[in-house]
Amino acid sequence: MIVGGIIPWLIVKRLNIASTTPAPAHIWYLIIKELDRRSQGYFRFKEGTLYPALHRLERVGLIRGEWQTLPSGRQRRYYHITEKGLHSLETKRSQWLDFLAAMNLIIQPTPD
């Protein structure tokens, strides 16, 4: 299954990182902050960019969202990576590493 663009895969990767720590599942604004921090400011997303990607990932079964009620009574949506998402992430990661290796061969200066 192909989910286009880099944004969805950054989200899936971030949710995968969250699943390996005791931290609670991350909601959208924490995902945005974490991607900004880990990319040293290269990826700065706004809410309007992230929501379509989250919905697309959920629609194809790579993540799942669940509503939780806060003590204040407000509802908050939390996202978790699925088994299908983990498998797709590993496949996409391998493809990206191959792509990066090929690009490095092209852009590295060659001795003449």
Side-chain angles (χ1 to χ4, degrees):
M1 169 131 344
I2 297 174
V3 178
I6 191 171
I7 296 170
W9 294 105
L10 293 173
I11 295 168
V12 170
K13 178 62 178 166
R14 178 61 196 109
L15 291 174
N16 183 46
I17 292 167
S19 72
T20 61
T21 65
H26 289 260
I27 50 181
W28 66 267
Y29 67 88
L30 294 177
I31 294 170
I32 290 172
K33 286 175 61 176
E34 183 68 9
L35 293 175
D36 180 48
R37 184 188 68 76
R38 289 179 59 93
S39 71
Q40 297 178 347
Y42 188 83
F43 294 111
R44 292 197 174 145
F45 301 115
K46 297 192 184 306
E47 180 180 336
T49 304
L50 190 62
Y51 272 128
L54 286 169
H55 292 241
R56 190 167 57 241
L57 289 166
E58 191 170 14
R59 190 171 49 252
V60 298
L62 300 180
I63 65 172
R64 68 179 168 77
E66 64 182 44
W67 289 102
Q68 293 184 6
T69 304
L70 302 175
S72 66
R74 292 184 57 182
Q75 294 278 313
R76 185 171 278 174
R77 187 132 176 107
Y78 289 82
Y79 293 92
H80 308 270
I81 191 168
T82 63
E83 286 296 320
K84 181 178 178 181
L86 288 170
H87 177 71
S88 294
L89 176 61
E90 188 53 40
T91 300
K92 184 57 82 172
R93 183 180 181 279
S94 177
Q95 291 170 352
W96 270 102
L97 290 175
D98 290 346
F99 175 79
L100 289 172
M103 287 302 297
N104 281 330
L105 290 172
I106 294 168
I107 63 174
Q108 292 297 323
T110 57
D112 291 329

